[in-house]
Amino acid sequence: MPIKLDDPNALEQLTEKLSKRRQLQEMMKEVNAVIRSSKSDDAKIDFIMKKCGKSREEARNFLHPSESWCDPGFAAWELANNNQEIGRLRKRIREVERYREAAARAEEEGNSEFPFDGGRIVDNVPANRLQIFFDGKPDADVRTRLKQNGFRWAPNSGAWQSYRHGYTLDWAKREFNSEAIQ
């Protein structure tokens, strides 16, 4: 299940996932180092059983794979993929932290509004939405451009809205020639 940016537990969940991935990376490296060592097969199997939680038969198959094309231990791609996921989680944690800072500032200042001829753009930080309110129904060409740029009609709020991103706000300001372009 995805962890949403505005989820109150997002930072804790991501930190926990990151911790588990780091532990997995260390375990895979340790197991591969032991497999390459000069220890006896029994010592290697005992270590694999202890570190990976495998049965003796699973550990033996892990050390001596039945397929001729498999190498013993964890494959390089497994380590690389896990390392990639660690980097992705670190980046996601920074995004959540920046979102929380922006939400705290917005709560102090309120929503930012940018008027334009025929409506207004609202940067709704608490809802994590960028909303465009029109005085009337926009024509088909405008609706098509809104859809192409990630906006959808939200009848419950009476606005065209998208998730908050810097590029959506910049696009909306340019598109509707907002007076408050910064």
Side-chain angles (χ1 to χ4, degrees):
M1 182 163 190
I3 299 172
K4 299 214 176 206
L5 197 61
D6 56 350
D7 183 348
N9 299 322
L11 197 54
E12 293 78 21
Q13 291 173 347
L14 289 169
T15 304
E16 183 180 336
K17 273 183 144 180
L18 178 61
S19 174
K20 287 179 182 177
R21 285 292 181 158
R22 284 180 174 157
Q23 289 172 358
L24 176 62
Q25 189 77 4
E26 288 306 311
M27 183 270 299
M28 289 192 296
K29 287 170 25 181
E30 286 176 25
V31 168
N32 279 356
V34 167
I35 287 174
R36 284 188 227 103
S37 73
S38 60
K39 293 183 179 185
S40 70
D41 275 4
D42 285 336
K44 291 177 184 180
I45 289 171
D46 289 341
F47 185 81
I48 293 168
M49 287 172 54
K50 179 181 157 200
K51 276 295 188 179
C52 301
K54 295 182 180 283
S55 69
R56 182 163 288 285
E57 188 60 33
E58 290 172 326
R60 184 175 287 111
N61 288 338
F62 191 70
L63 183 60
H64 301 291
S66 58
E67 292 86 10
S68 61
W69 51 269
C70 287
D71 291 329
F74 292 98
W77 64 265
E78 291 177 283
L79 288 153
N81 284 0
N82 192 58
N83 210 27
Q84 179 80 24
E85 182 65 8
I86 288 170
R88 189 194 69 77
L89 287 168
R90 284 183 184 148
K91 183 179 176 188
R92 187 73 174 142
I93 287 170
R94 286 192 301 271
E95 287 175 9
V96 170
E97 289 169 344
R98 282 195 303 267
Y99 171 78
R100 286 189 176 179
E101 290 169 4
R105 279 194 311 273
E107 205 169 294
E108 292 172 6
E109 301 167 2
N111 291 340
S112 302
E113 288 197 21
F114 308 97
F116 64 89
D117 190 27
R120 70 190 197 292
I121 302 168
V122 177
D123 187 12
N124 190 341
V125 177
N128 195 27
R129 300 287 186 273
L130 181 65
Q131 300 171 315
I132 302 177
F133 294 90
F134 291 95
D135 295 339
K137 184 177 179 178
D139 62 27
D141 185 45
V142 171
R143 292 192 310 264
T144 300
R145 287 196 314 274
L146 284 165
K147 290 176 187 178
Q148 289 171 342
N149 286 281
F151 287 86
R152 297 293 177 256
W153 173 247
N156 58 340
S157 60
W160 285 85
Q161 65 183 20
S162 173
Y163 284 110
R164 287 183 72 245
H165 291 288
Y167 64 84
T168 54
L169 181 58
D170 291 342
W171 175 84
K173 286 179 179 180
R174 279 192 318 273
E175 181 72 18
F176 299 108
N177 296 318
S178 175
E179 298 167 5
I181 294 178
Q182 298 168 344

